Amino acid sequence: AARRQSKNATGGMSDRTLTLLLATGATFACASLVARVRSRAARRLTMSGAAEPAVRWALDDDARTAASADQAHILAQAWGSDPEIGVFGGTLCAVPFVRTTTDGLVMHGSLAYCNGGGLREGSPRPGVCLVHTAVGPQDLYLRWRAHALATRGYVVLIADLLGDPHGDGWEPAWCGPRREVYTGEGRPLLQRRTREALQQLAESPLVDASTRRAARAV
């Protein structure tokens, strides 16, 4: 879904269909690493002394985005040294994407796209929707991958199916009941909210016509 594209070939991607990426394997799979510590250091996008990606993500850079301060430090270093992002000459735009589902869930997603770096300015682009794991949408790894995809000419939505603006999904006591509604007979609810996230992405003026067609077909 994220095959390498030439930085100057964004216009050639207009016929691509909307891509749903299931982050790290499966939506709402059990997280393998969940810390109970909520230090302020773990809540910040990047850590002091890390190789920072130099990105102010959306408007709330105080959301918790990793299991621990150590994990956040490692991820920030990896993001900051990503070779594909490093050679990209443009800039990342990452903004809040807050929408309400028809059943009342306020989804606090993020929309990422890049300008410059050889990308065609002002033209609609293919859309990609990243669906988070059990810990929710406020995830440093997801932001890193969204940035990488954006350098290839995609408009990337990190969807929020928990209603989590602050990274509370890293706390089992908070996210457990919110995930539970999607199990068993709740699977249709998960599917409906995922479709709505795709359709909301398709309504953005940043995405191309093929994305809108694909979203209608889901």
Side-chain angles (χ1 to χ4, degrees):
R3 290 178 295 180
R4 185 176 302 278
Q5 301 291 337
S6 167
K7 296 295 189 297
N8 295 310
T10 304
M13 293 188 281
S14 60
D15 292 332
R16 295 194 180 282
T17 58
L18 183 69
T19 305
L20 174 62
L21 299 181
L22 301 182
T24 62
T27 309
F28 295 104
C30 291
S32 61
L33 180 60
V34 178
R36 298 181 184 275
V37 178
R38 274 191 84 129
S39 66
R40 183 171 179 82
R43 291 175 55 85
R44 295 197 61 80
L45 170 63
T46 54
M47 310 307 299
S48 176
E52 298 188 2
V55 172
R56 181 178 176 83
W57 189 268
L59 296 179
D60 180 11
D61 65 352
D62 196 38
R64 182 178 177 181
T65 57
S68 67
D70 287 342
Q71 186 190 58
H73 182 86
I74 292 169
L75 286 170
Q77 284 186 318
W79 185 355
S81 60
D82 186 301
E84 184 175 20
I85 294 174
V87 300
F88 177 68
T91 58
L92 173 69
C93 299
V95 296
F97 194 80
V98 181
R99 300 291 187 275
T100 303
T101 64
T102 54
D103 58 71
L105 177 71
V106 180
M107 299 193 293
H108 296 269
S110 297
L111 199 66
Y113 59 96
C114 284
N115 291 321
L119 296 175
R120 184 178 298 176
E121 298 285 345
S123 60
R125 303 172 186 178
V128 174
C129 182
L130 293 179
V131 177
H132 55 78
T133 60
V135 297
Q138 309 304 336
D139 186 337
L140 199 61
Y141 179 77
L142 283 180
R143 295 179 180 188
W144 170 18
R145 302 325 304 154
H147 189 178
L149 285 166
T151 67
R152 302 183 185 192
Y154 293 99
V155 176
V156 186
L157 170 64
I158 298 178
D160 174 16
L161 303 182
L162 295 182
D164 181 10
H166 303 302
D168 293 312
W170 293 96
E171 292 294 333
W174 185 93
C175 68
R178 289 161 177 81
R179 296 200 316 267
E180 186 68 24
V181 300
Y182 293 134
T183 61
E185 295 181 357
R187 299 295 290 180
L189 176 62
L190 171 62
Q191 295 166 354
R192 184 171 70 250
R193 287 177 173 174
T194 302
R195 281 196 300 270
E196 289 192 36
L198 294 172
Q199 291 160 359
Q200 289 162 359
L201 170 61
E203 292 172 0
S204 169
L206 297 171
V207 302
D208 62 11
S210 68
T211 299
R212 296 188 180 92
R213 290 195 299 270
R216 288 195 296 268
V218 173

